[in-house]
Amino acid sequence: DLKVKDEEALGEGSGSGKSEESFNFESDKYSSYTNSSPVIKVSEEFITREEIGGSAGIAPNFTDKGDLKDVSDKKSGSREQQTDVPAPVSSGREHSENLTTTLKRQDCSLAKGRWVTDDSRPLYSGFGCKQWLSSMWACRLTQRTDFEYEKLRWRPKDCEMEDFTGVKFLKRMQNKTLAFIGDSLGRQQFQSLMCMITGGKDRPNVLDVGHEYGLVQSRGSARPDGWAYRFPDTKATILYYWSASLCDLTPINPSDPATDFAMHLDRPPAFLSHFLPRFDVLVLNTGHHWNRGKLKANRWVMYVGGVPNKNRKIATIGGAKNFTIHSIVNWVNSQLPKHPRLKAFYRSISPRHFFNGDWNTGGTCDNTTPLSGGKEVLQDESSDPDAAAAVRGTAVKLLDITALSQLRDEGHISRYSIKATPGVQDCLHWCLPGVPDTWNEILFAQL
């Protein structure tokens, strides 16, 4: 066994950026990777459905040729193994007959369970972790006074979930790289994990290795496209790359500073296709940028097959989102045989909790009482059917956090954001410490 001390295994690096989400893309950011993005062949026959919040479409699975394939449902659970090894009785023999090993296997879904109060929580202080945690998500630094939500822990129904510690995580990830690729909720999960690993403490020996992945702040940008940090004692690397749509984005006219961007629904982000061979664990997510306002603000134009999309079946926001999720999952699944060590996850959507309106129409999430809407998830099916359908029949695993997060409406930033706009509440992002810590505990249990 590798012996790792707390102080040796845990480290620190330069802080993550504190700026708000930026949607500006410079053409030079994509020049290195654009030609390496493969086109994914996916059938265009979709069964669409309208859904609250702009999401739509459940698509069937497809073969490599783009044909529909018949797949049976798989359980989206995990298998947990516990090994109990009683101490052997010394007999002088080379092989002791008294040495026994008992394997206890349990089939369980980590998404089913209940929230319980745990006075040992949170796993790090909301006043600390300033090197990794953006101040806009640190609710302890705001006017908020209730923090009971920090004491809640997720308890799966049919199995024990292994306790998370930074030392165990780094040992498990020795000489490995974990990559989060997604939107600002993916960035929250990344910052949460960095705080969990370090216990929120300053670790000056953690290396900033963003330059190895092209994650450097370009001229005129508010922040880099992501961050990458390496813990020197175990060589574990944790990185995040911002890709709100999980599409490859290329400037339509690179010489024009005001150009629109081709949003290739059938191509993975160039960053992902370029660096995938270096990853050991991959966590993907998308969802909340799929609306007409965001596409217009970012000047994104839907492309399929290298040309503007003309297929009406995927021209809707919901249809395009669902098409993209299936495309990216199928592409990653096609790459897994080439990279047998890679474990890939698609994280289900993080729920919003706007009541009596939306983010720009006076919607609120004022509740501060934990679990006022319930504390238990018993359903077998995911509350994100699009994500569940996309991974079904593939080797990509579902990191199913939607239903358990749906019970936590008190855990959002709400009206306490540092740069609050009067009448506007943030009922999308989460206070940290908070709900995203549980997402990482479930991820850890599945590694």
Side-chain angles (χ1 to χ4, degrees):
D1 291 338
L2 174 68
K3 301 294 183 183
V4 184
K5 297 180 181 178
D6 285 344
E7 294 303 318
E8 293 175 347
L10 306 181
E12 168 208 9
S14 56
S16 60
K18 307 288 195 247
S19 60
E20 298 284 355
E21 201 71 49
S22 171
F23 308 117
N24 297 322
F25 291 88
E26 306 291 337
S27 60
D28 60 350
K29 291 181 182 177
Y30 298 91
S31 58
S32 300
Y33 311 124
T34 299
N35 295 330
S36 64
S37 293
V39 175
I40 310 163
K41 296 181 180 179
V42 180
S43 169
E44 296 172 347
E45 295 300 323
F46 279 85
I47 304 171
T48 58
R49 61 177 171 80
E50 292 305 318
E51 195 175 89
I52 295 177
S55 299
I58 301 178
N61 256 305
F62 308 96
T63 66
D64 292 338
K65 296 180 180 179
D67 300 321
L68 287 170
K69 69 179 179 182
D70 182 20
V71 294
S72 58
D73 291 352
K74 298 191 308 180
K75 290 184 179 180
S76 59
S78 66
R79 182 175 293 272
E80 186 176 274
Q81 176 176 305
Q82 296 178 344
T83 304
D84 299 321
V85 184
V89 177
S90 177
S91 64
R93 299 179 184 178
E94 184 176 352
H95 302 287
S96 172
E97 296 178 357
N98 294 318
L99 176 62
T100 61
T101 301
T102 303
L103 297 180
K104 182 179 180 182
R105 295 179 180 273
Q106 296 178 334
D107 289 319
C108 65
S109 169
L110 296 172
K112 292 173 63 176
R114 63 189 301 173
W115 289 101
V116 297
T117 301
D118 185 344
D119 289 334
S120 68
R121 299 301 173 103
L123 298 174
Y124 56 93
S125 170
F127 290 113
C129 203
K130 295 181 179 179
Q131 292 192 268
W132 320 111
L133 178 57
S134 296
S135 58
M136 59 185 173
W137 296 329
C139 289
R140 285 276 183 174
L141 303 181
T142 69
Q143 301 87 358
R144 187 162 184 164
T145 58
D146 63 289
F147 298 101
E148 288 302 309
Y149 66 88
E150 293 184 349
K151 296 288 187 182
L152 294 177
R153 175 172 60 85
W154 180 248
R155 177 184 291 169
K157 182 176 185 296
D158 298 320
C159 58
E160 290 293 327
M161 188 163 66
E162 182 178 3
D163 289 338
F164 180 99
T165 70
V167 171
K168 285 195 295 186
F169 181 87
L170 291 178
K171 179 179 177 181
R172 195 164 296 179
M173 289 298 298
Q174 184 176 12
N175 297 316
K176 294 181 173 63
T177 297
L178 186 157
F180 292 101
I181 298 181
D183 57 21
S184 56
L185 277 304
R187 184 182 173 197
Q188 283 208 296
Q189 188 174 2
F190 162 73
Q191 292 190 3
S192 160
L193 182 59
M194 293 300 295
C195 291
M196 291 168 67
I197 294 173
T198 61
K201 305 297 184 182
D202 291 345
R203 305 293 178 181
N205 67 328
V206 172
L207 305 174
D208 184 343
V209 294
H211 62 280
E212 295 183 13
Y213 299 90
L215 301 177
V216 294
Q217 186 167 344
S218 59
R219 183 176 301 175
S221 297
R223 59 175 178 80
D225 283 338
W227 297 266
Y229 298 103
R230 182 168 299 138
F231 293 83
D233 293 286
T234 59
K235 303 296 190 296
T237 302
I238 315 295
L239 70 84
Y240 163 77
Y241 177 75
W242 188 83
S243 177
S245 66
L246 290 184
C247 297
D248 189 26
L249 297 172
T250 58
I252 296 176
N253 183 3
S255 63
D256 181 6
T259 183
D260 290 342
F261 290 85
M263 181 186 189
H264 298 280
L265 306 183
D266 53 352
R267 295 184 190 174
F271 178 88
L272 174 59
S273 59
H274 186 80
F275 288 109
L276 184 71
R278 298 180 60 176
F279 300 156
D280 298 277
V281 180
L282 175 65
V283 182
L284 302 167
N285 92 282
T286 188
H288 292 294
H289 281 250
W290 289 90
N291 60 69
R292 293 292 177 188
K294 289 288 176 67
L295 265 65
K296 183 178 180 180
N298 294 323
R299 306 193 303 276
W300 292 347
V301 180
M302 295 181 190
Y303 271 54
V304 176
V307 297
N309 174 52
K310 292 183 170 57
N311 186 339
R312 292 183 179 180
K313 294 180 180 179
I314 56 176
T316 65
I317 292 294
K321 167 180 164 283
N322 201 32
F323 182 88
T324 298
I325 293 173
H326 279 75
S327 295
I328 188 72
V329 168
N330 285 344
W331 179 79
V332 170
N333 187 58
S334 73
Q335 301 300 303
L336 291 178
K338 305 174 188 177
H339 310 288
R341 74 181 189 282
L342 176 63
K343 293 185 178 182
F345 297 86
Y346 183 84
R347 203 204 73 219
S348 65
I349 197 164
S350 172
R352 311 183 323 153
H353 289 94
F354 288 97
F355 296 97
N356 303 314
D358 212 327
W359 70 272
N360 57 350
T361 58
T364 62
C365 47
D366 289 322
N367 175 47
T368 58
T369 304
L371 309 177
S372 57
K375 61 182 179 181
E376 196 167 23
V377 174
L378 296 176
Q379 66 197 45
D380 292 319
E381 300 299 323
S382 173
S383 291
D384 185 350
D386 293 342
V391 302
R392 190 175 298 130
T394 75
V396 178
K397 297 181 180 180
L398 181 67
L399 184 57
D400 192 3
I401 56 86
T402 305
L404 62 90
S405 303
Q406 187 67 46
L407 300 174
R408 299 295 309 277
D409 62 293
E410 88 293 345
H412 289 292
I413 304 294
S414 186
R415 63 178 181 273
Y416 300 105
S417 55
I418 292 178
K419 297 181 180 180
T421 302
V424 176
Q425 293 193 14
D426 186 350
C427 304
L428 170 63
H429 298 100
W430 303 92
C431 289
L432 291 176
V435 173
D437 301 338
T438 296
W439 305 349
N440 284 321
E441 289 183 280
I442 295 175
L443 174 64
F444 175 65
Q446 291 186 267
L447 293 180

